[in-house]
Amino acid sequence: RKEFGAGIDDEQAWQAFRASHSELAKHLELFRDAAQRRGDKGDYWWELRPCAYYSEFAKPKLIWPDIGKIPRFSIGAPDLFLGNTAYFTPIEDNYLLAYMQSRVAWFLIARICLHNKYRGGLWEYRLFTQFMERVPVPRANSSNRNILSNLGTQIAAFAQSRYALHNQVRGRIQSDLGAPGLTLNQKLTAWWELPHLAAFRAELKKALKVDVPLRERDDWEHYLRAQQAEHTRLTAEIVRLETELNAHVYRLFDLTPDEIQLIEDSTKYRYGEV
């Protein structure tokens, strides 16, 4: 009610909202009847219920999903809002980010958080706040903090480049070879795992009901080979940096070779996946 002023009724507020946010109002109007019956609305039917920590979204934040099989932590920008399938803490700390991406942290998370499902050879965990706040974080001097922060930042940069490469190739497959109403299947989505053009063409026929035109096959073979080589290069850099990061975290905890091996064996995800 602060936005629209005192002494204004719901319909007057709606007209004011529609005048300032016409496209959004047009969309929300479709759900007006159901929204008016909600028990969790704010001052008006189109508003969310009050949230005690709205101001925290305006800050930089460490973000993670509510369910995870491998570490999926990242730094979120100010004014980034999250749905109910993610959690965050309002802090921008690259040392903490790097540590939470380590195998030691995931080993501890796996022993603190609840199991969810066993899928693809890995357990899923429920990363609720009441569990995550119990994960111990090692103290480190400024030198070690800087080393880990730099490693975490480099890993994130290479991971973002690899993600952009994945999406760029998917986009070309869809735009050049796709068909309305059809989407990439799992193997085309992970195009870098297809061993040769014949396998790529076989998946095109399954998912998109098309083949690579004969005159374009050499171009597509060279293109895919070059992009797969770039994927391999980026992954190798991520693996190298992750290995170095984990070695530093092992030293922070002063772990023995046997303890390190236990953690490596327990955290079964491959280097280069996070």
Side-chain angles (χ1 to χ4, degrees):
R1 296 189 184 275
K2 292 178 182 178
E3 181 179 354
F4 303 116
I8 188 172
D9 63 27
D10 285 8
E11 189 56 33
Q12 289 172 319
W14 173 248
Q15 295 305 323
F17 176 80
R18 188 164 63 176
S20 58
H21 306 286
S22 59
E23 290 301 314
L24 181 57
K26 187 186 300 183
H27 175 74
L28 291 174
E29 186 71 58
L30 301 172
F31 310 99
R32 182 170 188 154
D33 290 344
Q36 286 178 327
R37 293 193 296 270
R38 288 188 303 138
D40 60 347
K41 53 183 178 287
D43 288 333
Y44 304 106
W45 63 263
W46 61 88
E47 292 183 332
L48 297 174
R49 63 186 173 189
C51 175
Y53 52 89
Y54 272 139
S55 60
E56 302 303 307
F57 285 107
K59 303 174 183 178
K61 53 192 74 69
L62 179 71
I63 299 171
W64 64 92
D66 65 338
I67 299 174
K69 295 195 295 184
I70 61 176
R72 292 290 192 195
F73 296 88
S74 61
I75 297 293
D79 295 323
L80 174 67
F81 286 78
L82 308 173
N84 63 350
T85 58
Y87 291 91
F88 75 95
T89 185
I91 184 172
E92 184 176 23
D93 185 338
N94 287 332
Y95 165 71
L96 180 60
L97 171 65
Y99 168 67
M100 294 305 291
Q101 287 289 107
S102 73
R103 288 183 179 268
V104 170
W106 195 251
F107 178 84
L108 295 168
I109 286 169
R111 280 145 185 80
I112 294 172
C113 295
L114 290 175
H115 295 72
N116 188 45
K117 295 178 182 177
Y118 191 74
R119 298 176 60 183
L122 295 170
W123 278 103
E124 289 181 342
Y125 298 96
R126 306 304 301 268
L127 310 183
F128 295 156
T129 301
Q130 63 263 38
F131 304 130
M132 298 300 292
E133 63 189 8
R134 292 165 51 196
V135 176
V137 178
R139 294 180 179 178
N141 59 32
S142 59
S143 176
N144 282 323
R145 290 182 69 90
N146 288 337
I147 289 171
L148 284 171
S149 295
N150 289 334
L151 287 169
T153 300
Q154 291 179 69
I155 291 169
F158 278 112
Q160 287 169 359
S161 295
R162 188 176 64 176
Y163 180 72
L165 174 71
H166 291 174
N167 282 337
Q168 177 239 312
V169 176
R170 290 169 189 151
R172 181 176 174 189
I173 295 169
Q174 192 72 62
S175 63
D176 290 10
L177 301 170
L182 298 176
T183 58
L184 307 187
N185 63 11
Q186 188 173 357
K187 290 187 176 180
L188 286 175
T189 299
W191 52 265
W192 58 91
E193 295 179 353
L194 295 170
H196 40 63
L197 185 65
F200 177 72
R201 290 173 55 205
E203 296 306 321
L204 282 177
K205 293 172 187 176
K206 291 178 188 176
L208 304 180
K209 314 303 180 188
V210 296
D211 195 0
V212 179
L214 181 61
R215 66 183 179 277
E216 297 177 15
R217 287 177 191 171
D218 283 347
D219 289 342
W220 270 98
E221 184 169 19
H222 294 152
Y223 173 74
L224 289 171
R225 190 180 301 145
Q227 306 316 307
Q228 286 170 331
E230 179 64 2
H231 166 84
T232 299
R233 183 189 74 81
L234 293 170
T235 300
E237 288 297 320
I238 293 170
V239 170
R240 178 182 66 82
L241 292 165
E242 281 183 1
T243 303
E244 188 175 347
L245 182 149
N246 281 291
H248 277 285
V249 176
Y250 293 148
R251 285 195 287 273
L252 281 180
F253 280 91
D254 195 23
L255 299 180
T256 67
D258 287 343
E259 290 168 336
I260 292 171
Q261 192 61 54
L262 172 64
I263 291 172
E264 292 278 340
D265 292 342
S266 298
T267 53
K268 295 180 181 180
Y269 60 86
R270 295 175 297 177
Y271 278 91
E273 285 192 36
V274 301

Coordinates of all heavy atoms in Angstrom, one line a residue, residues 137-197:
V137 N 33.9 -24.8 8.5 CA 34.8 -24.1 7.6 C 36.1 -23.9 8.2 O 36.2 -23.3 9.3 CB 34.1 -22.8 7.2 CG1 35.0 -22.0 6.2 CG2 32.8 -23.0 6.5
P138 N 37.2 -24.3 7.6 CA 38.5 -24.2 8.3 C 39.0 -22.7 8.3 O 38.7 -22.0 7.4 CB 39.4 -25.0 7.4 CG 38.8 -25.0 6.0 CD 37.3 -25.0 6.3
R139 N 39.7 -22.4 9.3 CA 40.3 -21.1 9.4 C 41.6 -21.1 8.5 O 42.2 -22.1 8.4 CB 40.7 -20.7 10.8 CG 39.5 -20.5 11.7 CD 40.0 -20.2 13.1 NE 38.9 -20.0 14.0 CZ 39.0 -19.7 15.3 NH1 40.2 -19.6 15.9 NH2 37.9 -19.5 16.1
A140 N 41.8 -20.0 7.9 CA 43.0 -20.0 7.0 C 43.6 -18.6 7.0 O 42.9 -17.6 7.2 CB 42.6 -20.3 5.5
N141 N 44.9 -18.5 6.9 CA 45.6 -17.2 6.9 C 45.4 -16.5 5.6 O 44.8 -17.1 4.6 CB 47.1 -17.4 7.2 CG 47.8 -18.3 6.2 OD1 47.4 -18.3 5.0 ND2 48.8 -19.0 6.7
S142 N 45.8 -15.3 5.5 CA 45.5 -14.5 4.3 C 46.1 -15.1 3.0 O 45.5 -15.1 1.9 CB 45.9 -13.1 4.4 OG 47.4 -13.0 4.6
S143 N 47.3 -15.7 3.1 CA 47.9 -16.4 2.0 C 47.1 -17.5 1.4 O 46.8 -17.6 0.2 CB 49.3 -16.9 2.4 OG 49.9 -17.6 1.3
N144 N 46.6 -18.4 2.3 CA 45.8 -19.6 1.9 C 44.5 -19.1 1.4 O 43.9 -19.7 0.5 CB 45.7 -20.5 3.1 CG 46.9 -21.4 3.3 OD1 47.6 -21.8 2.3 ND2 47.2 -21.7 4.5
R145 N 43.9 -18.1 2.0 CA 42.6 -17.6 1.6 C 42.7 -17.1 0.1 O 41.9 -17.3 -0.7 CB 42.1 -16.5 2.5 CG 41.6 -17.0 3.9 CD 41.1 -15.8 4.7 NE 39.8 -15.3 4.1 CZ 38.6 -15.8 4.5 NH1 38.5 -16.8 5.4 NH2 37.6 -15.3 3.9
N146 N 43.8 -16.3 -0.1 CA 44.0 -15.8 -1.5 C 44.2 -16.9 -2.5 O 43.7 -16.8 -3.6 CB 45.2 -14.8 -1.5 CG 44.9 -13.5 -0.8 OD1 43.8 -13.1 -0.6 ND2 45.9 -12.9 -0.3
I147 N 45.0 -17.9 -2.1 CA 45.3 -19.0 -3.1 C 43.9 -19.7 -3.4 O 43.7 -19.9 -4.6 CB 46.2 -20.0 -2.4 CG1 47.6 -19.4 -2.4 CG2 46.3 -21.3 -3.2 CD1 48.6 -20.3 -1.6
L148 N 43.1 -20.0 -2.4 CA 41.9 -20.7 -2.7 C 40.9 -19.8 -3.4 O 40.2 -20.3 -4.3 CB 41.3 -21.2 -1.4 CG 41.9 -22.5 -0.8 CD1 41.4 -22.8 0.6 CD2 41.7 -23.7 -1.7
S149 N 40.9 -18.6 -3.1 CA 40.0 -17.6 -3.8 C 40.3 -17.5 -5.2 O 39.4 -17.6 -6.1 CB 40.0 -16.2 -3.1 OG 39.6 -16.2 -1.8
N150 N 41.6 -17.4 -5.5 CA 42.0 -17.3 -6.9 C 41.7 -18.6 -7.7 O 41.3 -18.6 -8.9 CB 43.5 -17.0 -7.0 CG 43.8 -15.6 -6.6 OD1 43.0 -14.7 -6.6 ND2 45.1 -15.4 -6.1
L151 N 41.9 -19.8 -7.1 CA 41.6 -21.0 -7.7 C 40.1 -21.1 -8.0 O 39.7 -21.6 -9.1 CB 42.1 -22.2 -6.9 CG 43.6 -22.4 -6.8 CD1 44.0 -23.4 -5.7 CD2 44.1 -22.9 -8.2
G152 N 39.3 -20.8 -7.0 CA 37.9 -20.8 -7.2 C 37.4 -19.9 -8.3 O 36.5 -20.3 -9.1
T153 N 38.0 -18.7 -8.4 CA 37.6 -17.8 -9.4 C 38.0 -18.3 -10.8 O 37.2 -18.2 -11.7 CB 38.3 -16.4 -9.1 OG1 37.9 -15.9 -7.9 CG2 37.9 -15.4 -10.2
Q154 N 39.2 -18.9 -10.9 CA 39.6 -19.4 -12.2 C 38.7 -20.6 -12.6 O 38.3 -20.7 -13.8 CB 41.0 -19.9 -12.1 CG 42.0 -18.8 -12.0 CD 43.5 -19.3 -11.8 OE1 44.0 -19.9 -12.8 NE2 44.0 -19.2 -10.7
I155 N 38.4 -21.5 -11.7 CA 37.5 -22.6 -12.0 C 36.1 -22.1 -12.5 O 35.6 -22.6 -13.5 CB 37.3 -23.5 -10.8 CG1 38.6 -24.2 -10.4 CG2 36.2 -24.5 -11.0 CD1 38.6 -24.9 -9.1
A156 N 35.6 -21.1 -11.8 CA 34.3 -20.6 -12.2 C 34.4 -20.0 -13.6 O 33.4 -20.1 -14.4 CB 33.8 -19.5 -11.2
A157 N 35.5 -19.3 -13.9 CA 35.6 -18.7 -15.3 C 35.6 -19.7 -16.4 O 35.0 -19.6 -17.4 CB 36.8 -17.8 -15.3
F158 N 36.4 -20.8 -16.1 CA 36.5 -21.9 -17.1 C 35.2 -22.6 -17.2 O 34.7 -23.0 -18.3 CB 37.6 -22.9 -16.8 CG 39.0 -22.4 -17.2 CD1 39.9 -22.1 -16.3 CD2 39.3 -22.3 -18.6 CE1 41.2 -21.6 -16.7 CE2 40.6 -21.9 -19.0 CZ 41.5 -21.6 -18.0
A159 N 34.5 -22.8 -16.1 CA 33.2 -23.5 -16.1 C 32.2 -22.7 -16.9 O 31.3 -23.2 -17.6 CB 32.7 -23.7 -14.7
Q160 N 32.2 -21.3 -16.7 CA 31.3 -20.5 -17.4 C 31.5 -20.5 -18.9 O 30.6 -20.5 -19.8 CB 31.3 -19.1 -16.9 CG 30.7 -18.9 -15.5 CD 31.0 -17.5 -14.9 OE1 31.8 -16.7 -15.5 NE2 30.5 -17.3 -13.7
S161 N 32.8 -20.5 -19.3 CA 33.2 -20.6 -20.7 C 32.7 -22.0 -21.3 O 32.2 -22.0 -22.5 CB 34.7 -20.5 -20.9 OG 35.1 -19.2 -20.5
R162 N 32.9 -23.0 -20.6 CA 32.4 -24.3 -21.1 C 30.9 -24.4 -21.2 O 30.4 -24.9 -22.2 CB 32.9 -25.4 -20.1 CG 32.7 -26.8 -20.6 CD 33.3 -27.9 -19.7 NE 32.6 -27.9 -18.4 CZ 32.9 -28.8 -17.5 NH1 33.9 -29.7 -17.7 NH2 32.3 -28.8 -16.3
Y163 N 30.2 -23.8 -20.2 CA 28.7 -23.8 -20.3 C 28.3 -23.0 -21.5 O 27.3 -23.4 -22.2 CB 28.2 -23.1 -19.0 CG 26.7 -23.0 -18.9 CD1 25.9 -24.2 -18.7 CD2 26.1 -21.8 -19.0 CE1 24.5 -24.1 -18.6 CE2 24.7 -21.7 -18.9 CZ 23.9 -22.8 -18.8 OH 22.6 -22.7 -18.7
A164 N 28.9 -21.8 -21.8 CA 28.6 -21.0 -22.9 C 28.8 -21.8 -24.2 O 28.0 -21.7 -25.2 CB 29.4 -19.7 -22.9
L165 N 29.9 -22.6 -24.3 CA 30.2 -23.4 -25.4 C 29.1 -24.5 -25.6 O 28.6 -24.7 -26.8 CB 31.6 -24.1 -25.3 CG 32.0 -25.1 -26.3 CD1 32.3 -24.4 -27.6 CD2 33.2 -26.0 -25.9
H166 N 28.7 -25.1 -24.6 CA 27.7 -26.1 -24.7 C 26.4 -25.5 -25.3 O 25.8 -26.1 -26.2 CB 27.4 -26.7 -23.3 CG 28.5 -27.5 -22.7 ND1 28.4 -28.0 -21.4 CD2 29.6 -28.0 -23.2 CE1 29.5 -28.7 -21.2 NE2 30.3 -28.7 -22.3
N167 N 26.0 -24.4 -24.7 CA 24.8 -23.7 -25.2 C 24.9 -23.2 -26.6 O 23.9 -23.3 -27.4 CB 24.4 -22.6 -24.3 CG 23.7 -23.1 -23.0 OD1 23.2 -24.2 -23.0 ND2 23.8 -22.3 -21.9
Q168 N 26.1 -22.8 -27.0 CA 26.3 -22.2 -28.4 C 26.1 -23.3 -29.4 O 25.4 -23.2 -30.4 CB 27.6 -21.6 -28.5 CG 28.0 -21.1 -29.9 CD 29.2 -21.8 -30.5 OE1 30.2 -21.9 -29.8 NE2 29.1 -22.3 -31.7
V169 N 26.7 -24.5 -29.1 CA 26.5 -25.6 -30.1 C 25.1 -26.2 -30.1 O 24.5 -26.5 -31.1 CB 27.5 -26.8 -29.7 CG1 27.3 -28.0 -30.6 CG2 29.0 -26.2 -29.8
R170 N 24.5 -26.3 -28.9 CA 23.1 -26.7 -28.9 C 22.2 -25.8 -29.7 O 21.3 -26.2 -30.4 CB 22.6 -26.7 -27.4 CG 23.2 -27.8 -26.6 CD 22.8 -27.6 -25.1 NE 23.5 -28.5 -24.2 CZ 23.9 -28.3 -23.0 NH1 23.6 -27.1 -22.4 NH2 24.5 -29.2 -22.2
G171 N 22.5 -24.5 -29.5 CA 21.7 -23.5 -30.3 C 21.9 -23.7 -31.8 O 20.9 -23.5 -32.5
R172 N 23.1 -23.9 -32.2 CA 23.3 -24.1 -33.7 C 22.6 -25.4 -34.2 O 22.0 -25.4 -35.2 CB 24.8 -24.2 -34.0 CG 25.0 -24.4 -35.5 CD 26.4 -24.3 -36.0 NE 26.4 -24.6 -37.4 CZ 27.5 -24.9 -38.1 NH1 28.7 -24.8 -37.5 NH2 27.4 -25.1 -39.4
I173 N 22.7 -26.5 -33.4 CA 22.0 -27.7 -33.8 C 20.5 -27.4 -33.9 O 19.9 -27.8 -34.9 CB 22.2 -28.8 -32.7 CG1 23.7 -29.2 -32.7 CG2 21.4 -30.0 -33.0 CD1 24.0 -30.1 -31.5
Q174 N 19.9 -26.8 -32.9 CA 18.5 -26.5 -33.0 C 18.1 -25.5 -34.1 O 17.1 -25.8 -34.8 CB 18.0 -25.9 -31.6 CG 16.5 -25.8 -31.4 CD 15.9 -27.2 -31.2 OE1 16.2 -27.9 -30.2 NE2 15.0 -27.6 -32.1
S175 N 18.9 -24.5 -34.3 CA 18.5 -23.5 -35.4 C 18.8 -24.0 -36.8 O 18.0 -23.7 -37.7 CB 19.3 -22.2 -35.1 OG 20.7 -22.4 -35.3
D176 N 19.9 -24.8 -37.0 CA 20.2 -25.2 -38.3 C 19.6 -26.5 -38.7 O 19.3 -26.8 -39.9 CB 21.7 -25.4 -38.5 CG 22.5 -24.1 -38.4 OD1 21.8 -23.0 -38.1 OD2 23.7 -24.0 -38.7
L177 N 19.3 -27.4 -37.7 CA 18.8 -28.7 -38.0 C 17.5 -29.1 -37.3 O 16.9 -30.1 -37.6 CB 19.9 -29.8 -37.6 CG 21.2 -29.6 -38.3 CD1 22.3 -30.6 -37.6 CD2 21.2 -29.9 -39.8
G178 N 17.1 -28.2 -36.4 CA 15.9 -28.5 -35.6 C 14.6 -28.4 -36.4 O 14.5 -28.0 -37.6
A179 N 13.5 -28.8 -35.8 CA 12.2 -28.7 -36.3 C 11.2 -28.2 -35.3 O 11.4 -28.5 -34.1 CB 11.7 -30.1 -36.8
P180 N 10.2 -27.4 -35.7 CA 9.2 -26.9 -34.7 C 8.6 -28.0 -33.8 O 8.2 -29.1 -34.3 CB 8.1 -26.2 -35.6 CG 8.9 -25.9 -36.8 CD 9.8 -27.0 -37.1
G181 N 8.6 -27.8 -32.5 CA 7.9 -28.7 -31.6 C 8.8 -29.9 -31.2 O 8.4 -30.7 -30.3
L182 N 10.0 -30.0 -31.7 CA 11.0 -31.1 -31.3 C 12.2 -30.5 -30.6 O 12.6 -29.4 -30.9 CB 11.4 -31.8 -32.6 CG 10.3 -32.6 -33.4 CD1 10.9 -33.2 -34.6 CD2 9.6 -33.6 -32.5
T183 N 12.6 -31.2 -29.6 CA 13.8 -30.7 -28.8 C 14.9 -31.7 -28.8 O 14.7 -32.9 -29.2 CB 13.3 -30.5 -27.4 OG1 12.8 -31.7 -26.8 CG2 12.2 -29.4 -27.3
L184 N 16.1 -31.3 -28.4 CA 17.2 -32.1 -28.3 C 17.0 -33.2 -27.3 O 16.5 -32.9 -26.2 CB 18.5 -31.3 -28.0 CG 18.8 -30.1 -28.9 CD1 20.2 -29.6 -28.5 CD2 18.8 -30.5 -30.4
N185 N 17.4 -34.4 -27.6 CA 17.4 -35.5 -26.6 C 18.6 -35.4 -25.7 O 19.5 -34.5 -25.9 CB 17.2 -36.9 -27.2 CG 18.4 -37.2 -28.1 OD1 19.5 -36.6 -28.1 ND2 18.2 -38.3 -28.9
Q186 N 18.8 -36.3 -24.8 CA 19.8 -36.3 -23.8 C 21.2 -36.4 -24.5 O 22.1 -35.7 -24.1 CB 19.7 -37.4 -22.8 CG 20.6 -37.4 -21.6 CD 20.3 -38.4 -20.5 OE1 19.3 -39.1 -20.6 NE2 21.1 -38.5 -19.5
K187 N 21.3 -37.2 -25.5 CA 22.6 -37.4 -26.1 C 23.0 -36.2 -27.0 O 24.2 -35.8 -27.0 CB 22.6 -38.7 -26.9 CG 22.6 -39.9 -26.1 CD 22.8 -41.2 -26.9 CE 22.9 -42.4 -26.0 NZ 23.1 -43.7 -26.7
L188 N 22.0 -35.6 -27.6 CA 22.4 -34.3 -28.4 C 22.7 -33.2 -27.4 O 23.5 -32.3 -27.7 CB 21.2 -34.0 -29.3 CG 21.0 -34.8 -30.5 CD1 19.8 -34.4 -31.3 CD2 22.2 -34.7 -31.5
T189 N 22.0 -33.2 -26.3 CA 22.3 -32.1 -25.3 C 23.7 -32.2 -24.8 O 24.4 -31.2 -24.7 CB 21.3 -32.2 -24.1 OG1 20.0 -32.1 -24.6 CG2 21.6 -31.2 -23.0
A190 N 24.2 -33.5 -24.6 CA 25.6 -33.7 -24.3 C 26.4 -34.0 -25.6 O 27.1 -35.1 -25.7 CB 25.7 -34.8 -23.3
W191 N 26.3 -33.2 -26.5 CA 26.9 -33.4 -27.9 C 28.4 -33.8 -27.9 O 28.9 -34.5 -28.7 CB 26.7 -32.2 -28.8 CG 27.1 -30.9 -28.1 CD1 26.4 -30.0 -27.4 CD2 28.5 -30.4 -28.1 NE1 27.2 -29.0 -27.0 CE2 28.5 -29.2 -27.4 CE3 29.7 -30.8 -28.7 CZ2 29.6 -28.4 -27.2 CZ3 30.8 -30.1 -28.5 CH2 30.8 -28.9 -27.7
W192 N 29.1 -33.3 -26.9 CA 30.6 -33.5 -26.8 C 30.9 -35.0 -26.5 O 32.0 -35.4 -26.7 CB 31.2 -32.6 -25.8 CG 30.6 -32.8 -24.4 CD1 31.1 -33.6 -23.4 CD2 29.5 -32.1 -23.8 NE1 30.3 -33.6 -22.3 CE2 29.3 -32.6 -22.5 CE3 28.6 -31.1 -24.3 CZ2 28.3 -32.2 -21.7 CZ3 27.6 -30.7 -23.5 CH2 27.4 -31.2 -22.2
E193 N 29.9 -35.7 -26.1 CA 30.2 -37.2 -25.8 C 29.9 -38.1 -27.0 O 30.3 -39.2 -26.9 CB 29.3 -37.6 -24.6 CG 29.6 -36.9 -23.3 CD 28.7 -37.3 -22.2 OE1 27.7 -38.1 -22.4 OE2 28.9 -36.9 -21.0
L194 N 29.4 -37.5 -28.1 CA 29.1 -38.3 -29.2 C 30.5 -38.6 -30.0 O 31.2 -37.6 -30.3 CB 28.1 -37.6 -30.2 CG 26.7 -37.5 -29.6 CD1 25.9 -36.6 -30.5 CD2 26.1 -38.9 -29.4
P195 N 30.8 -39.8 -30.3 CA 32.2 -40.1 -30.7 C 32.5 -39.7 -32.2 O 33.7 -39.5 -32.5 CB 32.3 -41.6 -30.5 CG 30.9 -42.1 -30.6 CD 30.0 -41.0 -30.0
H196 N 31.5 -39.6 -33.0 CA 31.7 -39.3 -34.4 C 30.5 -38.8 -35.1 O 29.4 -38.8 -34.4 CB 32.3 -40.5 -35.2 CG 31.6 -41.8 -34.8 ND1 30.2 -42.1 -35.0 CD2 32.1 -42.9 -34.1 CE1 29.9 -43.2 -34.5 NE2 31.0 -43.8 -34.0
L197 N 30.6 -38.4 -36.3 CA 29.4 -37.8 -37.0 C 28.3 -38.8 -37.2 O 27.1 -38.4 -37.1 CB 29.9 -37.2 -38.4 CG 28.8 -36.5 -39.1 CD1 28.3 -35.2 -38.4 CD2 29.2 -36.1 -40.6

